[in-house]
Amino acid sequence: MEQSQVVVVGSANADLVLDIDHRPAPGETILASDVVTTPGGKGANQAVAAGKVGGRVAFLGCVGDDDHGRLLRGSLEGAGVDATGLRTVAAPTGTAIISVTPDGENSIMVSPGANRHVTPAMLTGLQDVWASAAVVVLQLEIPMESVAAVAAGATGRVVLNAAPAASLPAEVLAVADPLVVNESEAEFLLAEAGAADGATSPDGEGAPGGDSLAARLLALGPRSVILTLGAAGSVIVERAPDGGARPPVWVPARRVAATDTTGAGDAFVGALAVRLAAGASLTEAVELATAVAAVAVTRRGASTSSPTLVEVEAMFGAVV
Ligand code: ADP
């Protein structure tokens, strides 16, 4: 089999989405819309996004022997992702129950299920797939010791999306290039490190905040940082040769009419990884990631919303 350039190690979930008109109070029962079941999980979403923009991508993870597992396998394969490292285990496929109120706010409950079986032992068995990949992509919906094992063994570039927010061992943070986080994840990591004072995002001119937050994150140890700021874009901070921080680079978001921002970050990370594996600079890779995420927010769904390169170019013309 041809070596994949991008290997995503992570979670695969079925997203069960329910529209509700208000959130139920304790003890209350409400009626919801028909349930809509779509492929999700940060890892699978990122792999699908990477596959759709044309990367040679493999996904390593676990699902159950059930319809949700088959849905996920089909979604990965449909995006051109090599899913031979997607193991079927004796646990239900991970499930996210997502309720959405008319104001667009969502509440999410995640049952990890099969994702708990993405263990260091399983990943050791798949070492030939990830250890020498140009880019390995990690998030935090699988056991932390598995994230740590891959971070320690990867010889390629490690893209670490520290989501959902969780404490990170220093040795995992140290190899992240980049660490990709949104504002709330950034604040969590800084609070953990006792460095959050004054780190809330400023609303200055030019870059709409985030510069100091991103620089403080770099001081926690990663090799580079991308802080995503939703409709305000993202901020990149890289290391200078002396180990300090280069001046932050702000990449504004593309202006679009957002319909559903679920999965924007995952589309962003998937596209980013593909461009980095092709040898692009961090800024060039973020340009593509920004365009891909912008198309994704114009459509509903977490991974079903992720566009192909042709669709991105149809909306914005050629991107880097
Ligand atoms: P997450 O989904 O992880 O919370 P963000 O909301 O920060 O991440 O979004 C990630 C990226 O997606 C942003 O940096 C931006 O480029 C793009 N994006 C998010 N929301 C929008 C939007 N409303 N319009 C255009 N681009 C968006």
Side-chain angles (χ1 to χ4, degrees):
M1 195 201 320
E2 218 182 344
Q3 168 84 49
S4 295
Q5 294 172 306
V6 174
V7 177
V8 181
V9 182
S11 56
N13 290 329
D15 286 350
L16 273 47
V17 185
L18 295 166
D19 288 321
I20 53 175
D21 55 24
H22 69 278
R23 237 158 272 298
E28 183 186 3
T29 298
I30 61 166
L31 291 182
S33 67
D34 286 351
V35 62
V36 176
T37 305
T38 55
K42 290 180 189 297
N45 290 348
Q46 293 174 7
V48 165
K52 280 193 171 172
V53 295
R56 219 160 63 228
V57 184
F59 177 70
L60 309 183
C62 291
V63 290
D65 182 12
D66 49 28
D67 286 348
H68 290 161
R70 287 181 278 281
L71 172 74
L72 282 151
R73 191 177 296 278
S75 149
L76 288 158
E77 289 174 350
V81 175
D82 176 352
T84 46
L86 178 67
R87 299 287 192 241
T88 301
V89 299
T93 298
T95 310
I97 299 175
I98 304 173
S99 59
V100 186
T101 43
D103 58 3
E105 280 295 326
N106 58 30
S107 299
I108 306 180
M109 291 181 284
V110 176
S111 166
N115 294 302
R116 289 205 177 95
H117 293 249
V118 185
T119 57
M122 170 202 156
L123 293 168
T124 303
L126 290 164
Q127 207 154 3
D128 56 328
V129 182
W130 57 264
S132 58
V135 171
V136 176
V137 183
L138 295 164
Q139 338 68 34
L140 307 180
E141 287 184 334
I142 56 171
M144 186 61 83
E145 59 267 29
S146 306
V147 171
V150 173
T155 54
R157 184 167 193 156
V158 176
V159 172
L160 174 65
N161 177 214
S167 305
L168 286 170
E171 59 278 16
V172 172
L173 208 43
V175 297
D177 190 16
L179 167 71
V180 185
V181 285
N182 66 19
E183 279 176 292
S184 63
E185 292 143 9
E187 275 157 15
F188 175 90
L189 289 176
L190 290 166
E192 275 263 298
D197 284 355
T200 46
S201 117
D203 33 5
E205 331 96 56
D211 281 15
S212 80
L213 207 52
R216 282 161 192 258
L217 286 168
L218 191 74
L220 299 182
R223 296 185 187 166
S224 57
V225 169
I226 299 173
L227 173 65
T228 65
L229 303 165
S234 57
V235 175
I236 307 165
V237 185
E238 295 186 79
R239 272 191 200 287
D242 68 359
R246 287 186 196 276
V249 175
W250 172 48
V251 178
R254 300 279 186 156
R255 275 178 190 276
V256 290
T259 323
D260 177 9
T261 58
T262 317
D266 292 337
F268 184 98
V269 169
L272 178 86
V274 171
R275 270 297 145 93
L276 289 177
S281 70
L282 211 45
T283 306
E284 288 166 344
V286 169
E287 296 283 358
L288 177 70
T290 299
V292 166
V295 180
V297 303
T298 65
R299 307 165 172 183
R300 275 189 76 116
S303 77
T304 44
S305 64
S306 208
T308 63
L309 218 43
V310 170
E311 291 169 329
V312 173
E313 289 181 356
M315 194 175 254
F316 300 120
V319 183
V320 287

